[in-house]
Amino acid sequence: MSIGTPTPMLTASARELEDLDRRHLIRSMHRGDITDRAVIVRGKGCNVWDARGNELLDAAGGGVWHSPIGHGREELAEVAAKQIRELEYFTSLLEFSNDKAIRLAARLAELAPEGIDRVAFCSGGSEAVETAIKAARLYHHRRGEADRTWILARHYSFHGATYGSGTATGFPPMQFGVGPNLPHVEKLSPPYLYRAKDLYGDKDPTDFLVEELEQTIARIGPGNIAAMIGEPIMAAGGVLTPPPDYWPRVRAVLRRHGILLIADEVVTAFGRTGAWFDSAQRDMEPDLITTAKGIAGGYVPLGATLMTDEIADTLINNGGFFHGYTFQGHPLACALGLATLDIVEREGLAAKALTIGDWFRSALAPAAAFPAVGDIRVEGSLAALELVSDRETRMPMDWGPVEQVAFEIRRTHGVIARPYGQMIVLAPPLIMDQGQARRAAGAVVEVLSRLGADGRIAPAK
């Protein structure tokens, strides 16, 4: 389908907003070479509308693996209004808290993997990871192991954009030109099975990765490492699912050396891959878990760092955890978090994620034959199509042409998909129906059918 012609009145308003955007607003991952603007002004269900009046199907979860319960839910507006009337804000500093933060913390403890019972709130994923890194280092320091400062992370991971979380992120542009970055962060190879031959040679992937981990620990010194952080499934890496034995074997190595494991579930938690927490179904057994995105449905900024009683007690009972955020445990955010979790449970959205994944597998399958498509990966409601300039050598396509693919999907079909490196990714609201899933996948397939290995998109017929 083609997007309809906007009305003159809407266009005038849109042009004004677009000009103001260019003049004043610095957006996430802002680049001057991207001059196109899509100013979103309204949302309902899986659809959003831009300022030009175009209706767009959100197949990317608010654009960033988000919005599990969909846009514009009246019950969330009512919860927000009620909470604002009762208590809009009060600090969670020292002896203060509020009823919604307490209830949401208790609810998360019920849902989390066994042994994860304590919760520190924040405003998003980067802050959650920042909290986890500081907590891991301080935990060891309080136990008399002050040399345990190193953090192990992985290439192609995304853990945030703040100082510590940005250093742990496995994409070099995040660290370029802003150093010195957080010291004592070491990157490991990811479980990237599509590129196993190049990365691991003839070795079994898990054998290679565990051996690399053990060698890295020996080189740095086990008594110098505080924690390893990893996404159960690497969303930003292109929906990279590890072999079933990967996390259990990694966990065993870390435990043997007294190294904590942080599960970054900012993308994967709260139903996105078919479970409340993806780490549980990977046998990851983390000591800390970071969450955000889906926790409050995208209706307000909210994140959380979950941890064991042992870690929490060590932090707060031996001089205190001198750390916190102004909006930590914000009562409005926590009220919306409680309502979001109720909806996910009541509407069976974790199970729905698996159904969406089945729809995507079927509808995206034709793209496997296209010259620029190297691999298609689906896990729960997450999907990634890896684009290549040579299928034989698996040479990744440059990011620029991939971005143009996403722009073409939106302009021609009114569907929002996300470009991420050499990937086109889908992560829709979990309320998406079969017709919408087919439309989203069909739009991706149609545009990719016109994409050559040289990165050029042929005109639509």
Side-chain angles (χ1 to χ4, degrees), residues 2 27 37 73 79 87-88 126 146-147 176 205 209 259 269 271 303 325 333 335 365 367 370 404 416 421 454:
S2 296
R27 289 166 288 106
R37 293 293 185 271
R73 295 188 75 132
V79 168
L87 178 66
E88 87 296 346
S126 294
D147 291 334
F176 178 76
L209 293 165
I259 300 168
Y325 305 105
F370 299 158
Q404 291 304 313
I416 299 172
D454 60 359

Side-chain angles (χ1 to χ4, degrees), residues 129 133 151 153-154 157 159 164-170 175 185 187 229:
V129 170
I133 290 173
I151 302 295
R154 298 178 297 176
S157 63
H159 298 298
S165 66
T167 304
T169 288
Q175 295 98 37
V185 175
K187 304 285 171 54
I229 184 169

Side-chain angles (χ1 to χ4, degrees), residues 123-165:
S123 297
S126 294
E127 287 186 357
V129 170
E130 208 77 24
T131 297
I133 290 173
K134 292 176 72 174
R137 286 178 165 181
L138 183 58
Y139 167 78
H140 291 297
H141 191 281
R142 288 273 168 79
R143 287 162 50 89
E145 296 184 277
D147 291 334
R148 284 189 181 266
T149 57
W150 282 81
I151 302 295
L152 305 180
R154 298 178 297 176
H155 297 291
Y156 303 114
S157 63
F158 192 94
H159 298 298
T162 51
Y163 185 57
S165 66

Side-chain angles (χ1 to χ4, degrees), residues 87 89-103 328-329 331:
L87 178 66
Y89 170 78
F90 205 82
T91 183
S92 291
L93 177 68
L94 297 176
E95 77 272 30
F96 291 105
S97 62
N98 64 80
D99 57 332
K100 300 307 187 299
I102 294 167
R103 293 188 183 282
Q328 182 168 342

Side-chain angles (χ1 to χ4, degrees), residues 199-278:
L199 291 174
Y200 322 127
D202 295 326
K203 281 194 173 183
D204 172 82
T206 304
D207 287 346
F208 178 96
L209 293 165
V210 170
E211 182 177 331
E212 180 191 53
L213 173 62
E214 291 177 327
Q215 290 173 349
T216 301
I217 292 172
R219 173 169 51 84
I220 296 173
N224 295 323
I225 302 173
M228 176 177 174
I229 184 169
E231 303 155 279
I233 297 167
M234 298 180 72
V239 190
L240 303 181
T241 303
D245 63 339
Y246 172 78
W247 279 120
R249 291 178 62 184
V250 167
R251 168 76 271 185
V253 172
L254 299 178
R255 187 169 285 154
R256 188 166 69 248
H257 293 293
I259 300 168
L260 300 177
L261 178 56
I262 304 166
D264 185 342
E265 295 232 41
V266 168
V267 172
T268 55
F270 311 117
R272 178 57 70 184
T273 64
W276 284 111
F277 289 90
D278 191 73

Side-chain angles (χ1 to χ4, degrees), residues 280-343:
Q281 56 188 8
R282 309 282 160 200
D283 294 323
M284 199 171 174
E285 299 181 16
D287 302 290
L288 302 98
I289 300 175
T290 58
T291 69
K293 294 196 184 292
I295 191 173
Y299 285 75
V300 287
L302 181 62
T305 304
L306 287 64
M307 64 190 76
T308 64
D309 282 334
E310 181 187 5
I311 294 172
D313 288 341
T314 301
L315 298 180
I316 65 181
N317 291 335
N318 296 279
F321 189 24
F322 197 75
H323 171 82
Y325 305 105
T326 297
F327 295 117
Q328 182 168 342
H330 194 291
L332 174 59
C334 291
L336 290 168
L338 285 164
T340 297
L341 298 183
D342 286 345
I343 291 170

